């Protein structure tokens, strides 16, 4: 069968690879369900009961398109952040918004700086628009701010990606360090500051909203997918300088955000008590995971996120063996894809029953690994 | 405040206009809620009770990302259509999928053929990727297949848009005419066949799935937003030639589809009895709208959709006066934006209570218009 001959040269050059293989696909390959779901940094603690109730109440109105302006949600987020609503855009998760900012800046050949082993979906979008990725190694398991800045200047890159707290390592920089990095960037370089894990981070890791809000070259991305427990609803948002933020409206899928997601996110912001409850559970779960793995001689990295990166004390092959052993026992986890980060596995926090399953599986995996 | 200086030239050239102003924005401008929502071709008959129940049951699992492969939904759609699942891609509504196919084919300057006054969101995407829109006038309120074909050949266009049944006029072509059109296209032109309103169309208007399924240059787009009553969930799908369809995976937002939307769409396909019920209601509602407007000397166009285009018997100004009169009375409707289509208003079918509100408002509007 012939191929349609007029896809763009860029489209034809792209590989069929995807950023992540989902757990459902892995289940289909395995022929069995996972018994613990600790691989995608979802919140197994769930959304707030008040959020679930709001969604149940509004399910029958799903025949209506959601408000394409996301007005009420932006108003509420604005009040929460202390920003005017026209400095905020809501999209189909941070992933969707990352695709848009890349589209607005990247053309074939445009250099884009990120860290080697950082978020693959950002890289997917950069490749999808023909950008040239410039990867900077992590330093001591942190994104290397000096290295990123040097690469930006060397390459005259218009776009740099930084996640704080970091995924996949869970580490973080101080608010002061982030602010210094932003201020040191050339005015011709836009900082994508991915703060997906902001809710579980110490306050000292997050620059004041006002501190960066007016800079035309800084955008901050946040989400309801992590601590708020709404990954399935696909609600991310970006905020910053009004003029910069306004560019999203020129290209976004205006009716792309689902209505129940808007409902859920609005209800979620209102329930800060649930958020505090979840954050306490995340902290306890991080500690529990740390205790478990230390008992096997593995080293948990400090984390400001809802997951723990665990140094398995060897190379990528050793970590992969441990991950594969866990996965084969029904425990869905992931690991970083690039050395030296790939000496680690990455385990999401979650309900005790799932952490117990992880613990039992790890006992078996480590026994097997140690030839016992 | 300075503007970030390195958005692409294309991004900087785009206007801030949006394809549609939503009813919620109109409500905010009016300072009052609409009392009838008949402007966006949503299904006021709602999703099936079985669908609402499935959504309620699964709301608590919204902490999970949806399966990025949309596997179960594609399997079910495949069984429904008689196609292998790898010939189907699910996206954030047809709107989202239209953006992707445009991205895969259109570069700055690429000619793209559509009908003058056809779906504005397609045009928005074409403009967003720098394409050059070539508009073909409707003929007798139908999209002009001969005219579209001639324009495609004249412009050597790689992409042509056709909706069948048509929005905003509600008219349709026969399956045979559509198939002939597809076969007559150059192999270097891809047909975007938008069948958003397929469920309410006569069977004779829809080419057999198999008839076009292997053509590398035909893609058919369908949705759960119309007859299935799930506009808010943002679930559209595209199907056709395997190789052509596979290109979407290279650029789509893999985790962009919300999980409850997947749940709802799966449940909706299962409940074909509800779909039949809704279709009967749509037909009755179309007839009722027709009777109402004929009583005022207005002319309803034949419709294969869930709305009725109504020829107001004058020019765009007259139709706009009638629309504005209805809107000011709390009845949300829309009208085509381009002459000569804009002699019409467009009224969605809906529950009798809303059609009654439309009827009463129309009495007042026509009395005012006729100076009574």
């Amino acid at each position: 069968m012939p191929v349609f001959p007029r896809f763009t040269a860029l489209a034809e050059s792209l590989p069929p690879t995807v950023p992540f293989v989902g757990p459902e696909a892995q289940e289909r390959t395995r022929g069995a369900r996972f018994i613990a779901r600790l691989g995608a940094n979802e919140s197994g603690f769930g959304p707030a009961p008040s959020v679930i109730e709001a969604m149940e109440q509004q399910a029958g109105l799903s025949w209506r398109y959601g408000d394409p302006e996301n007005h009420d949600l932006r108003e509420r987020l604005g009040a929460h952040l202390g920003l005017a609503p026209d400095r905020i855009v809501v999209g189909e998760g941070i992933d969707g918004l990352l695709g848009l900012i890349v589209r607005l800046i990247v053309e074939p050949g445009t250099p884009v700086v990120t860290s080697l082993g950082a978020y693959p979906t950002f890289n997917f979008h950069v490749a999808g628009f023909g950008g040239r990725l410039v990867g900077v190694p992590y330093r001591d398991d942190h994104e290397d701010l000096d290295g990123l800045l040097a690469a930006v200047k060397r390459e005259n890159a218009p776009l740099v990606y930084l996640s704080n707290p970091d995924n996949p390592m869970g580490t973080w920089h101080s608010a002061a360090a982030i602010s210094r990095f932003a201020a040191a960037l050339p005015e011709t370089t836009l900082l994508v500051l991915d703060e997906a894990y902001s809710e579980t981070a110490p306050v000292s890791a997050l620059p004041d909203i006002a501190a960066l809000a007016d800079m035309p070259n800084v955008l901050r991305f946040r989400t309801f997918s992590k601590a708020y427990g709404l990954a399935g609803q696909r609600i991310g948002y970006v905020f910053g300088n009004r003029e910069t933020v306004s560019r999203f409206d020129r290209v976004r899928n205006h009716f792309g955000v689902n209505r129940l997601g808007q409902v859920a996110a609005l209800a979620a912001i209102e329930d800060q008590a649930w958020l505090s409850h979840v954050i306490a559970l995340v902290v306890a779960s991080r500690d529990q995971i740390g205790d478990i793995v230390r008992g096997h001689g593995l080293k948990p990295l400090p984390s400001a996120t809802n997951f723990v990166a665990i140094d398995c004390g060897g190379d990528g092959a050793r970590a992969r063996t441990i991950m594969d052993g866990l996965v084969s026992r029904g425990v869905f986890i992931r690991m970083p894809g690039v050395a030296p980060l790939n000496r680690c596995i990455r385990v999401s926090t979650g309900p005790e029953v799932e952490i117990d399953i992880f613990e039992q599986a790890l006992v078996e995996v480590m026994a097997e690994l140690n030839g016992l």
Side-chain angles (χ1 to χ4, degrees), chain A residues 19-20 38-42 94-95 98 114-123 136-138 141-144 148 161-173 178 192-198 200-201 221 223 225-226 234 301-310 332-338 341-342 344-349:
Chain A
F20 289 106
L38 301 171
N41 304 339
E42 300 159 325
I94 289 178
D95 284 2
L98 290 178
T114 185
S115 297
L116 270 171
Y119 196 43
T121 304
F122 179 74
N123 299 355
V136 176
Y138 278 62
D141 298 323
H142 288 67
E143 298 196 45
D144 178 0
L148 290 166
Y161 175 90
L162 173 67
S163 62
N164 189 57
D166 174 68
N167 178 21
M169 301 309 279
T171 54
W172 67 99
H173 288 287
I178 297 292
V192 167
L193 182 56
D194 182 343
E195 299 184 318
Y197 299 96
S198 58
T200 49
F221 294 74
T223 181
S225 297
K226 302 303 174 186
R234 315 285 50 238
L301 271 59
S303 169
T305 65
N306 72 346
F307 61 85
V308 182
I310 300 159
F332 168 52
I333 65 160
R334 287 209 168 104
M335 62 179 287
V338 174
L341 314 185
N342 67 354
C344 297
I345 59 172
R346 196 193 69 178
V347 179
S348 306
T349 57

Side-chain angles (χ1 to χ4, degrees), chain A residues 63-250:
Chain A
W63 59 272
R64 299 185 178 187
Y65 289 103
D67 173 15
E69 299 183 2
N70 300 288
H71 175 273
D72 295 351
L73 181 53
R74 290 190 301 117
E75 284 268 338
R76 191 65 193 78
L77 282 169
H80 190 66
L81 297 168
L83 287 176
D86 61 358
R87 289 162 160 274
I88 306 169
V89 169
V90 175
E92 302 93 333
I94 289 178
D95 284 2
L97 293 166
L98 290 178
L100 293 176
I101 192 62
V102 169
R103 173 175 165 191
L104 286 165
I105 293 178
V106 173
E107 294 174 320
T110 301
V112 177
V113 173
T114 185
S115 297
L116 270 171
Y119 196 43
T121 304
F122 179 74
N123 299 355
F124 171 78
H125 290 309
V126 171
F129 287 98
R132 180 169 58 81
L133 279 162
V134 178
V136 176
Y138 278 62
R139 180 189 293 187
D140 299 332
D141 298 323
H142 288 67
E143 298 196 45
D144 178 0
L145 300 181
D146 293 338
L148 290 166
L149 183 61
V152 159
K153 291 181 174 174
R154 186 182 72 239
E155 303 283 346
N156 186 25
L159 193 61
V160 57
Y161 175 90
L162 173 67
S163 62
N164 189 57
D166 174 68
N167 178 21
M169 301 309 279
T171 54
W172 67 99
H173 288 287
S174 70
I178 297 292
S179 292
R180 274 196 306 272
F181 177 74
L185 284 173
E187 290 180 8
T188 49
T189 302
L190 189 136
L191 169 60
V192 167
L193 182 56
D194 182 343
E195 299 184 318
Y197 299 96
S198 58
E199 292 86 6
T200 49
V203 172
S204 61
L206 303 174
D208 282 349
I209 299 300
L212 307 180
D214 290 340
M215 298 176 71
N217 63 335
V218 176
L219 288 173
R220 301 170 76 169
F221 294 74
R222 296 189 178 182
T223 181
F224 287 87
S225 297
K226 302 303 174 186
Y228 283 109
L230 287 168
Q233 290 304 128
R234 315 285 50 238
I235 305 284
Y237 54 105
V238 55
F239 56 92
N241 174 286
R242 180 178 288 110
E243 189 72 28
T244 301
V245 161
S246 75
R247 293 303 185 274
F248 285 87
D249 268 348
R250 299 186 180 185

Side-chain angles (χ1 to χ4, degrees), chain A residues 49-67 72 233 258-268:
Chain A
S50 63
V51 169
I52 297 171
E53 192 183 330
M55 294 170 75
E56 289 171 350
Q57 283 175 359
Q58 297 273 320
L61 287 177
S62 293
W63 59 272
R64 299 185 178 187
Y65 289 103
D67 173 15
D72 295 351
Q233 290 304 128
N258 73 97
R259 186 177 184 283
L260 272 189
Q262 296 172 335
V263 167
L266 261 175

Side-chain angles (χ1 to χ4, degrees), chain A residues 271-295:
Chain A
D271 200 337
Q272 292 293 312
W274 178 261
L275 183 64
S276 299
H277 170 65
V278 168
I279 291 170
L281 292 173
V282 166
V283 171
S285 188
R286 286 196 309 232
D287 290 345
Q288 193 183 355
I289 292 169
D291 290 344
I292 291 168
V293 303
R294 268 189 293 262

